[in-house]
Amino acid sequence: MDPKDTNITKISRKIERIDLIYLGVIFLFLVITVVLFFYSTSFVIKNVNKIFTESKGEDVQGLDIARYLLVEKKLHLPVNSVDTKISATVQ
């Protein structure tokens, strides 16, 4: 036999089953960490893109002044009349 072969067989005899289990657990942990990293970065990128893209008016939230005026009357809130020329539109 070649001396290199005997060195390899000595090393392979020293490796125990528990060592392989530890390596497998560490490898699995690293794979899970990498997958979660890529998933979280894609989630953050999608939300940042959603924030900075211009909307076409479909998802824009606005104050429904007609409903606000009704709630204001029911709760006896102080009247803030900054602009009295606001037209109340019911949707």
Side-chain angles (χ1 to χ4, degrees):
M1 278 188 119
D2 194 21
K4 291 181 183 179
D5 291 336
T6 58
N7 289 336
I8 292 173
T9 55
K10 287 179 185 178
I11 292 172
S12 65
R13 287 181 189 160
K14 289 182 181 179
I15 296 176
E16 294 181 14
R17 188 174 185 181
I18 193 74
D19 294 333
L20 295 176
I21 292 173
Y22 287 142
L23 288 175
V25 169
I26 291 172
F27 180 73
L28 182 65
F29 177 73
L30 288 175
V31 167
I32 290 172
T33 305
V34 168
V35 168
L36 288 176
F37 174 76
F38 284 116
Y39 180 74
S40 63
T41 54
S42 68
F43 175 77
V44 169
I45 289 170
K46 287 177 186 176
N47 284 330
V48 168
N49 287 340
K50 191 185 300 182
I51 290 170
F52 289 112
T53 56
E54 293 182 17
S55 62
K56 296 178 182 177
E58 298 168 355
D59 296 325
V60 176
Q61 295 181 353
L63 177 65
D64 185 6
I65 195 70
R67 289 184 182 175
Y68 174 75
L69 292 174
L70 291 174
V71 171
E72 184 181 38
K73 286 180 186 177
K74 284 184 180 180
L75 296 177
H76 304 291
L77 295 174
V79 177
N80 295 329
S81 59
V82 176
D83 189 11
T84 58
K85 297 178 183 178
I86 296 175
S87 62
T89 59
V90 179
Q91 294 179 351

